[in-house]
Each structure stands twice: as C-alpha cells, then as structure tokens.
Amino acid sequence: MFPDELISDVIDKLRIGPENARVSLIKFAATEKVRTIVPFDGPQSKLYLKTSLEKIPFSSGTTAIHSALLHAISEYSPLKGARPEKALPIAIIFTDGFAQRDTTKESALLRQAIPDLYAVAINHDYPISRVELEKITGDPRRVFTDINDLHRILSLKFRSC
C-alpha cells in the first residue's frame, strides 16, 4: 500500500467532527518541504481529508524527520485548533525512518507533547530504519510494519472518536 492509502484507512476508522476527532495532516520531505496540509482548525470531513491526502505529491530521498517532528509540536496548539483539554492526542508518523540528522531531541519533545505516538514503516521496496522509528516512538511496540497490527491497537482507542 502507498502511504496515502494507509493514512486513508486510519481516517476511515475515525468519527470526525466538531465534538469528535479532529485531524491534522503534515507532509514532510526536505526541511523546506515540511508543511501543514490540513490544520486542526481546517475543514474536518473524511471526504475533505482524503481528497487533500490524494493531492499531496510524493517526495523521495532522505527526509527532514527532525523538522517534521518539530512542526507537529507547533501544530498541536489550541491556537491552531487542537483541543488538549478535551481530546486525547494521537500522532502517527508514516516514514521509512531515514533521516537527514539525529532526531533524539525532537522525538523526546514530541513524545512529551503527544505521548501516544506511533510510527508506521512505509516503502517496503527499500530498507527501512527500524532503529530510527523506535527512536521516534520511544517504544518498539509502537512501530509497525504491518498496518493491520496498528489498526488493531487503534480500533480500541478510536471507539470514542
């Protein structure tokens, strides 16, 4: 599966709406390409999210994971539509794990802001860096190479979303 299909599957499992789940989509590649596609305070419907997802062009090469993690921290803000007092935050990073530089500091900062953090290995045509993915999540049990395993865990969490 392609990353957009994996993410679309996660979106399908959510009840999205003003009093339910809100989603923010962040695209990252090189540092200058890290950007928010859909903010928490943007349109929130499955159709809108999936259409936005389909329009994101794929970028290959080594990625600025450290910049993406910092961007995710800044995006998770009440000023940008996040609801830390009302909703349990969950972050899912879809990447092969090959970073431009060490992500130890940025990973720890993101886990501090959003402890419920998962990583999904993508691009099974090439090797993945499981070590990096485990560094991001801080727990090897939160790294997935099979999306079905992630869905089983998330289905328990999403019952109220």
PDB file of all heavy atoms in Angstrom, residues 116-135:
ATOM      1  N   ASP A 116       1.124   9.572  23.054  1.00  0.00           N
ATOM      2  CA  ASP A 116       0.558   8.459  22.290  1.00  0.00           C
ATOM      3  C   ASP A 116       1.020   8.577  20.839  1.00  0.00           C
ATOM      4  O   ASP A 116       0.282   9.016  19.958  1.00  0.00           O
ATOM      5  CB  ASP A 116      -0.971   8.507  22.396  1.00  0.00           C
ATOM      6  CG  ASP A 116      -1.590   7.127  22.378  1.00  0.00           C
ATOM      7  OD1 ASP A 116      -0.856   6.136  22.229  1.00  0.00           O
ATOM      8  OD2 ASP A 116      -2.816   7.054  22.516  1.00  0.00           O
ATOM      9  N   LEU A 117       2.248   8.172  20.601  1.00  0.00           N
ATOM     10  CA  LEU A 117       2.927   8.366  19.323  1.00  0.00           C
ATOM     11  C   LEU A 117       3.261   7.016  18.696  1.00  0.00           C
ATOM     12  O   LEU A 117       3.773   6.122  19.370  1.00  0.00           O
ATOM     13  CB  LEU A 117       4.212   9.173  19.554  1.00  0.00           C
ATOM     14  CG  LEU A 117       5.134   9.448  18.395  1.00  0.00           C
ATOM     15  CD1 LEU A 117       4.431  10.278  17.319  1.00  0.00           C
ATOM     16  CD2 LEU A 117       6.370  10.185  18.884  1.00  0.00           C
ATOM     17  N   TYR A 118       2.942   6.880  17.405  1.00  0.00           N
ATOM     18  CA  TYR A 118       3.203   5.636  16.667  1.00  0.00           C
ATOM     19  C   TYR A 118       3.978   5.961  15.401  1.00  0.00           C
ATOM     20  O   TYR A 118       3.896   7.069  14.877  1.00  0.00           O
ATOM     21  CB  TYR A 118       1.875   4.957  16.281  1.00  0.00           C
ATOM     22  CG  TYR A 118       1.029   4.625  17.473  1.00  0.00           C
ATOM     23  CD1 TYR A 118       0.091   5.531  17.969  1.00  0.00           C
ATOM     24  CD2 TYR A 118       1.173   3.410  18.132  1.00  0.00           C
ATOM     25  CE1 TYR A 118      -0.672   5.233  19.087  1.00  0.00           C
ATOM     26  CE2 TYR A 118       0.411   3.100  19.246  1.00  0.00           C
ATOM     27  CZ  TYR A 118      -0.507   4.020  19.718  1.00  0.00           C
ATOM     28  OH  TYR A 118      -1.253   3.724  20.822  1.00  0.00           O
ATOM     29  N   ALA A 119       4.693   4.968  14.901  1.00  0.00           N
ATOM     30  CA  ALA A 119       5.395   5.100  13.619  1.00  0.00           C
ATOM     31  C   ALA A 119       5.027   3.912  12.744  1.00  0.00           C
ATOM     32  O   ALA A 119       5.001   2.765  13.209  1.00  0.00           O
ATOM     33  CB  ALA A 119       6.909   5.157  13.825  1.00  0.00           C
ATOM     34  N   VAL A 120       4.738   4.203  11.490  1.00  0.00           N
ATOM     35  CA  VAL A 120       4.409   3.170  10.513  1.00  0.00           C
ATOM     36  C   VAL A 120       5.481   3.188   9.439  1.00  0.00           C
ATOM     37  O   VAL A 120       5.727   4.224   8.812  1.00  0.00           O
ATOM     38  CB  VAL A 120       3.013   3.404   9.894  1.00  0.00           C
ATOM     39  CG1 VAL A 120       2.709   2.347   8.852  1.00  0.00           C
ATOM     40  CG2 VAL A 120       1.939   3.421  10.972  1.00  0.00           C
ATOM     41  N   ALA A 121       6.114   2.047   9.244  1.00  0.00           N
ATOM     42  CA  ALA A 121       7.152   1.920   8.224  1.00  0.00           C
ATOM     43  C   ALA A 121       6.505   1.867   6.854  1.00  0.00           C
ATOM     44  O   ALA A 121       5.572   1.098   6.623  1.00  0.00           O
ATOM     45  CB  ALA A 121       7.978   0.660   8.459  1.00  0.00           C
ATOM     46  N   ILE A 122       6.973   2.723   5.969  1.00  0.00           N
ATOM     47  CA  ILE A 122       6.468   2.727   4.602  1.00  0.00           C
ATOM     48  C   ILE A 122       7.602   2.393   3.653  1.00  0.00           C
ATOM     49  O   ILE A 122       8.759   2.315   4.050  1.00  0.00           O
ATOM     50  CB  ILE A 122       5.846   4.092   4.228  1.00  0.00           C
ATOM     51  CG1 ILE A 122       6.892   5.208   4.339  1.00  0.00           C
ATOM     52  CG2 ILE A 122       4.636   4.375   5.094  1.00  0.00           C
ATOM     53  CD1 ILE A 122       6.464   6.491   3.680  1.00  0.00           C
ATOM     54  N   ASN A 123       7.241   2.206   2.401  1.00  0.00           N
ATOM     55  CA  ASN A 123       8.221   1.957   1.344  1.00  0.00           C
ATOM     56  C   ASN A 123       8.926   0.620   1.550  1.00  0.00           C
ATOM     57  O   ASN A 123      10.128   0.565   1.746  1.00  0.00           O
ATOM     58  CB  ASN A 123       9.234   3.098   1.255  1.00  0.00           C
ATOM     59  CG  ASN A 123       9.952   3.084  -0.080  1.00  0.00           C
ATOM     60  OD1 ASN A 123       9.753   2.189  -0.889  1.00  0.00           O
ATOM     61  ND2 ASN A 123      10.781   4.069  -0.306  1.00  0.00           N
ATOM     62  N   HIS A 124       8.180  -0.452   1.488  1.00  0.00           N
ATOM     63  CA  HIS A 124       8.747  -1.779   1.682  1.00  0.00           C
ATOM     64  C   HIS A 124       9.559  -2.274   0.488  1.00  0.00           C
ATOM     65  O   HIS A 124      10.112  -3.362   0.528  1.00  0.00           O
ATOM     66  CB  HIS A 124       7.641  -2.779   2.041  1.00  0.00           C
ATOM     67  CG  HIS A 124       7.023  -2.496   3.360  1.00  0.00           C
ATOM     68  ND1 HIS A 124       7.680  -2.678   4.548  1.00  0.00           N
ATOM     69  CD2 HIS A 124       5.808  -1.992   3.690  1.00  0.00           C
ATOM     70  CE1 HIS A 124       6.908  -2.331   5.545  1.00  0.00           C
ATOM     71  NE2 HIS A 124       5.759  -1.910   5.056  1.00  0.00           N
ATOM     72  N   ASP A 125       9.657  -1.452  -0.571  1.00  0.00           N
ATOM     73  CA  ASP A 125      10.510  -1.813  -1.701  1.00  0.00           C
ATOM     74  C   ASP A 125      11.984  -1.606  -1.357  1.00  0.00           C
ATOM     75  O   ASP A 125      12.858  -2.150  -2.013  1.00  0.00           O
ATOM     76  CB  ASP A 125      10.160  -0.967  -2.934  1.00  0.00           C
ATOM     77  CG  ASP A 125       8.772  -1.268  -3.454  1.00  0.00           C
ATOM     78  OD1 ASP A 125       8.280  -2.390  -3.213  1.00  0.00           O
ATOM     79  OD2 ASP A 125       8.177  -0.388  -4.101  1.00  0.00           O
ATOM     80  N   TYR A 126      12.234  -0.794  -0.334  1.00  0.00           N
ATOM     81  CA  TYR A 126      13.599  -0.472   0.082  1.00  0.00           C
ATOM     82  C   TYR A 126      13.702  -0.734   1.579  1.00  0.00           C
ATOM     83  O   TYR A 126      12.693  -0.857   2.266  1.00  0.00           O
ATOM     84  CB  TYR A 126      13.906   1.001  -0.219  1.00  0.00           C
ATOM     85  CG  TYR A 126      13.770   1.329  -1.681  1.00  0.00           C
ATOM     86  CD1 TYR A 126      12.620   1.940  -2.164  1.00  0.00           C
ATOM     87  CD2 TYR A 126      14.774   1.010  -2.581  1.00  0.00           C
ATOM     88  CE1 TYR A 126      12.483   2.239  -3.514  1.00  0.00           C
ATOM     89  CE2 TYR A 126      14.647   1.295  -3.923  1.00  0.00           C
ATOM     90  CZ  TYR A 126      13.498   1.906  -4.392  1.00  0.00           C
ATOM     91  OH  TYR A 126      13.362   2.186  -5.715  1.00  0.00           O
ATOM     92  N   PRO A 127      14.907  -0.759   2.101  1.00  0.00           N
ATOM     93  CA  PRO A 127      15.051  -0.981   3.547  1.00  0.00           C
ATOM     94  C   PRO A 127      14.418   0.165   4.348  1.00  0.00           C
ATOM     95  O   PRO A 127      14.289   1.283   3.863  1.00  0.00           O
ATOM     96  CB  PRO A 127      16.564  -0.997   3.759  1.00  0.00           C
ATOM     97  CG  PRO A 127      17.169  -1.154   2.417  1.00  0.00           C
ATOM     98  CD  PRO A 127      16.185  -0.655   1.420  1.00  0.00           C
ATOM     99  N   ILE A 128      14.041  -0.152   5.562  1.00  0.00           N
ATOM    100  CA  ILE A 128      13.555   0.868   6.485  1.00  0.00           C
ATOM    101  C   ILE A 128      14.534   0.940   7.652  1.00  0.00           C
ATOM    102  O   ILE A 128      15.302   0.006   7.885  1.00  0.00           O
ATOM    103  CB  ILE A 128      12.136   0.542   7.008  1.00  0.00           C
ATOM    104  CG1 ILE A 128      12.139  -0.794   7.744  1.00  0.00           C
ATOM    105  CG2 ILE A 128      11.119   0.588   5.893  1.00  0.00           C
ATOM    106  CD1 ILE A 128      10.907  -1.054   8.581  1.00  0.00           C
ATOM    107  N   SER A 129      14.510   2.036   8.371  1.00  0.00           N
ATOM    108  CA  SER A 129      15.354   2.180   9.551  1.00  0.00           C
ATOM    109  C   SER A 129      14.498   1.989  10.798  1.00  0.00           C
ATOM    110  O   SER A 129      13.973   2.945  11.356  1.00  0.00           O
ATOM    111  CB  SER A 129      16.030   3.553   9.575  1.00  0.00           C
ATOM    112  OG  SER A 129      16.755   3.696  10.773  1.00  0.00           O
ATOM    113  N   ARG A 130      14.366   0.751  11.201  1.00  0.00           N
ATOM    114  CA  ARG A 130      13.560   0.451  12.395  1.00  0.00           C
ATOM    115  C   ARG A 130      14.147   1.126  13.629  1.00  0.00           C
ATOM    116  O   ARG A 130      13.413   1.585  14.507  1.00  0.00           O
ATOM    117  CB  ARG A 130      13.441  -1.048  12.587  1.00  0.00           C
ATOM    118  CG  ARG A 130      12.507  -1.374  13.732  1.00  0.00           C
ATOM    119  CD  ARG A 130      12.030  -2.805  13.750  1.00  0.00           C
ATOM    120  NE  ARG A 130      11.120  -2.959  14.845  1.00  0.00           N
ATOM    121  CZ  ARG A 130       9.804  -3.004  14.743  1.00  0.00           C
ATOM    122  NH1 ARG A 130       9.245  -2.955  13.568  1.00  0.00           N
ATOM    123  NH2 ARG A 130       9.040  -3.119  15.798  1.00  0.00           N
ATOM    124  N   VAL A 131      15.457   1.209  13.691  1.00  0.00           N
ATOM    125  CA  VAL A 131      16.117   1.869  14.826  1.00  0.00           C
ATOM    126  C   VAL A 131      15.635   3.311  14.944  1.00  0.00           C
ATOM    127  O   VAL A 131      15.304   3.781  16.037  1.00  0.00           O
ATOM    128  CB  VAL A 131      17.654   1.812  14.674  1.00  0.00           C
ATOM    129  CG1 VAL A 131      18.348   2.690  15.690  1.00  0.00           C
ATOM    130  CG2 VAL A 131      18.143   0.375  14.766  1.00  0.00           C
ATOM    131  N   GLU A 132      15.555   4.002  13.838  1.00  0.00           N
ATOM    132  CA  GLU A 132      15.087   5.394  13.849  1.00  0.00           C
ATOM    133  C   GLU A 132      13.613   5.469  14.229  1.00  0.00           C
ATOM    134  O   GLU A 132      13.206   6.342  14.998  1.00  0.00           O
ATOM    135  CB  GLU A 132      15.321   6.049  12.494  1.00  0.00           C
ATOM    136  CG  GLU A 132      14.947   7.514  12.455  1.00  0.00           C
ATOM    137  CD  GLU A 132      15.802   8.382  13.362  1.00  0.00           C
ATOM    138  OE1 GLU A 132      16.993   8.083  13.555  1.00  0.00           O
ATOM    139  OE2 GLU A 132      15.276   9.383  13.887  1.00  0.00           O
ATOM    140  N   LEU A 133      12.812   4.560  13.700  1.00  0.00           N
ATOM    141  CA  LEU A 133      11.388   4.556  14.030  1.00  0.00           C
ATOM    142  C   LEU A 133      11.181   4.305  15.528  1.00  0.00           C
ATOM    143  O   LEU A 133      10.318   4.928  16.157  1.00  0.00           O
ATOM    144  CB  LEU A 133      10.643   3.514  13.193  1.00  0.00           C
ATOM    145  CG  LEU A 133      10.675   3.732  11.682  1.00  0.00           C
ATOM    146  CD1 LEU A 133       9.997   2.577  10.962  1.00  0.00           C
ATOM    147  CD2 LEU A 133      10.052   5.053  11.300  1.00  0.00           C
ATOM    148  N   GLU A 134      11.975   3.429  16.104  1.00  0.00           N
ATOM    149  CA  GLU A 134      11.885   3.171  17.544  1.00  0.00           C
ATOM    150  C   GLU A 134      12.357   4.376  18.341  1.00  0.00           C
ATOM    151  O   GLU A 134      11.821   4.665  19.418  1.00  0.00           O
ATOM    152  CB  GLU A 134      12.686   1.923  17.906  1.00  0.00           C
ATOM    153  CG  GLU A 134      12.045   0.655  17.393  1.00  0.00           C
ATOM    154  CD  GLU A 134      12.862  -0.602  17.650  1.00  0.00           C
ATOM    155  OE1 GLU A 134      13.898  -0.531  18.361  1.00  0.00           O
ATOM    156  OE2 GLU A 134      12.461  -1.667  17.135  1.00  0.00           O
ATOM    157  N   LYS A 135      13.338   5.096  17.826  1.00  0.00           N
ATOM    158  CA  LYS A 135      13.802   6.315  18.492  1.00  0.00           C
ATOM    159  C   LYS A 135      12.682   7.354  18.510  1.00  0.00           C
ATOM    160  O   LYS A 135      12.471   8.037  19.514  1.00  0.00           O
ATOM    161  CB  LYS A 135      15.017   6.885  17.767  1.00  0.00           C
ATOM    162  CG  LYS A 135      15.627   8.077  18.473  1.00  0.00           C
ATOM    163  CD  LYS A 135      16.734   8.726  17.672  1.00  0.00           C
ATOM    164  CE  LYS A 135      17.842   7.777  17.341  1.00  0.00           C
ATOM    165  NZ  LYS A 135      18.923   8.423  16.577  1.00  0.00           N
TER     166      LYS A 135
END
